[in-house]
Amino acid sequence: MRFARACPVLLLATATAHADVHGSIGAGGAFVLTGDGGDRFRLEAVADVKLTPKLGAIAAWRAFDEDHAGLVMAGVEYEGAAARPRLVLDLHGELGFDLDAEVPLAGGGLRTTLGIFGPLGVALDTGAYLVIDGIDDTRLQIQSSACIVARW
């Protein structure tokens, strides 16, 4: 009898928790404004997930192409504002490595996800990353990107 009373409560709790999970995965182009090392147009791949309504995690492979291994990062994400399902504004902070120079980096930025149709969307991201490579080679890499994403 207790099980019969507990089932609706468990189903309601599970449905509520599942509805709060949001995220996206996508890829696109990046434009490196500073700290480019010779070329400015590169590629980017990003995935994020929010297990609570506001906080989540982000993982990215930024500014890579056939000549550059790019920046690999992971960090936290905070949803600053949203008009779901069409618009989400996220602040993100990340730590990672520059794979070309094999040095650490830290940074963050603002990510705007716009819904286009169903799960299809566009993520626009602008970020600044401090690549720590000794005294002479430390640089601030500022970049902007546009990615096609699948979102939920």
Side-chain angles (χ1 to χ4, degrees):
M1 201 56 144
R2 287 183 186 169
F3 180 73
R5 281 183 271 170
C7 281
V9 173
L10 288 174
L11 288 173
L12 182 60
T14 305
T16 304
H18 179 68
D20 289 339
V21 176
H22 300 289
S24 65
I25 185 166
F31 181 64
V32 181
L33 300 163
T34 65
D36 56 355
D39 59 353
R40 296 188 182 275
F41 298 105
R42 301 194 189 158
L43 301 172
E44 179 166 300
V46 179
D48 74 303
V49 65
K50 287 188 205 78
L51 298 176
T52 69
K54 294 285 188 181
L55 292 174
I58 186 167
W61 182 19
R62 302 185 191 277
F64 67 92
D65 62 12
E66 62 275 353
D67 298 324
H68 302 279
L71 312 174
V72 174
M73 306 174 223
V76 296
E77 182 175 55
Y78 174 75
E79 185 176 293
R84 291 200 184 275
R86 293 282 184 213
L87 174 67
V88 179
L89 299 173
D90 294 314
L91 298 169
H92 57 87
E94 300 160 290
L95 297 174
F97 290 96
D98 181 335
L99 297 177
D100 292 320
E102 298 179 355
V103 295
L105 63 90
L110 175 67
R111 184 169 193 241
T112 304
T113 305
L114 301 167
I116 296 175
F117 179 76
L120 182 66
V122 174
L124 307 170
D125 192 330
T126 299
Y129 306 98
L130 182 62
V131 180
I132 304 164
D133 192 9
I135 294 174
D136 292 333
D137 294 325
T138 294
R139 69 184 190 278
L140 181 65
Q141 183 164 320
I142 300 173
Q143 65 185 47
S144 187
S145 67
C147 296
I148 299 296
V149 297
R151 54 192 190 90
W152 62 89

